[in-house]
Amino acid sequence: MKKNYFFSFSFFLFLFCFSCKKNEESGNVNDKITTEKDKIFTGEDKIIAEKVDLLYQNYGKEGLSSEPIYSKPIIKDLFNTDLEKDLNKVKEITEINRKKIENSANPTDKPFILEGATFTSLYEGYTSYKIKGIEYTENVNPVGSAALVTVQLENSKVTPQAAWMDTIYFVKPLNNGWKIDNIVFDNKLSGVKDLKTNLNIFILQNNQL
């Protein structure tokens, strides 16, 4: 009888300690960005994962199309210099064209505008995303480090439901932080190969009009 009581008490103590440990681990959720396997990113992985989260929480959500690009300033230090310039150029073209239309004989016409969820392969955008992998390499222009981040995205609101992989190309110039340089799209869903190409097409087609 004494042995059984000791076993029960020991088992209860084990469960209590295990529960405390789980609560302690899950308490500081703001420091954790997880995949579907609950992997906790640390170090450089964590910095990049936070940038990915910042991207998708602000751009590309289902139902928003390109509205976040036009409704607020482009997020600082998220995109590499050239990419940020292209995004601001797109906004400038749309604004100039909008003012021209306002002063024209057809003031209700639609201005030149970047259509669709610009930062994802699927025009309609995403409803969920997961980081599947981060691979590091060296970068030549600009000189520094680079990282390829594979992201699985899904849209459960379209019919049929869609799932695809996009690859975010990060660069880290010397004495600088990680920034998005490009996003390569899934060629089964997108008519253009990447984000830079999409922006450049819009700029070239509309900049002189």
Side-chain angles (χ1 to χ4, degrees):
M1 180 67 69
K2 186 175 182 180
K3 182 178 181 180
N4 289 339
Y5 173 79
F6 177 77
F7 172 78
S8 299
F9 177 79
S10 298
F11 182 70
F12 173 80
L13 183 61
F14 167 79
L15 289 178
F16 176 77
C17 293
F18 179 78
S19 175
C20 289
K21 180 174 177 58
K22 293 294 286 183
N23 288 336
E24 179 180 319
E25 289 176 350
S26 62
N28 194 11
V29 296
N30 291 330
D31 278 340
K32 301 176 183 178
I33 296 177
T34 60
T35 65
E36 74 280 10
K37 294 182 180 179
D38 292 331
K39 175 183 176 182
I40 299 174
F41 291 111
T42 59
E44 296 290 275
D45 285 1
K46 182 175 183 290
I47 295 171
I48 289 176
E50 287 173 344
K51 294 273 186 174
V52 172
D53 194 49
L54 184 61
L55 171 73
Y56 287 125
Q57 290 302 314
N58 286 276
Y59 304 108
K61 288 183 180 179
E62 198 277 336
L64 290 181
S65 187
S66 60
E67 185 271 335
I69 296 175
Y70 292 103
S71 63
K72 53 189 175 183
I74 300 301
I75 297 174
K76 285 291 182 184
D77 297 322
L78 178 58
F79 303 104
N80 198 24
T81 303
D82 290 343
L83 186 56
E84 184 176 336
K85 286 180 180 178
D86 285 345
L87 287 165
N88 282 313
K89 185 64 177 179
V90 166
K91 296 179 66 170
E92 178 188 334
I93 290 171
T94 298
E95 181 60 19
I96 291 172
N97 187 244
R98 183 186 65 78
K99 289 180 178 179
K100 284 183 178 180
I101 291 173
E102 284 180 354
N103 297 317
S104 72
N106 302 293
T108 59
D109 284 356
K110 184 178 180 180
F112 302 133
I113 189 170
L114 202 60
E115 301 279 1
T118 309
F119 296 91
T120 71
S121 297
L122 190 70
Y123 183 93
E124 293 84 359
Y126 77 91
T127 55
S128 65
Y129 65 92
K130 300 170 184 175
I131 296 175
K132 302 296 288 186
I134 302 175
E135 180 181 345
Y136 294 92
T137 183
E138 292 183 356
N139 197 63
V140 176
N141 185 24
V143 176
S145 302
L148 295 174
V149 182
T150 305
V151 183
Q152 177 183 309
L153 300 102
E154 297 180 358
N155 189 320
S156 59
K157 294 186 178 181
V158 296
T159 304
Q161 295 184 9
W164 68 97
M165 294 283 192
D166 286 347
T167 302
I168 307 175
Y169 188 70
F170 277 87
V171 293
K172 185 183 181 183
L174 295 177
N175 302 317
N176 213 323
W178 288 105
K179 295 182 181 181
I180 296 170
D181 186 63
N182 202 2
I183 300 174
V184 179
F185 298 137
D186 189 324
N187 58 18
K188 297 189 297 294
L189 295 176
S190 176
V192 292
K193 66 177 183 178
D194 55 41
L195 174 61
K196 282 185 175 180
T197 301
N198 192 31
L199 297 177
N200 288 333
I201 289 173
F202 179 88
I203 292 169
L204 289 172
Q205 287 179 341
N206 301 306
N207 196 28
Q208 302 300 323
L209 297 177

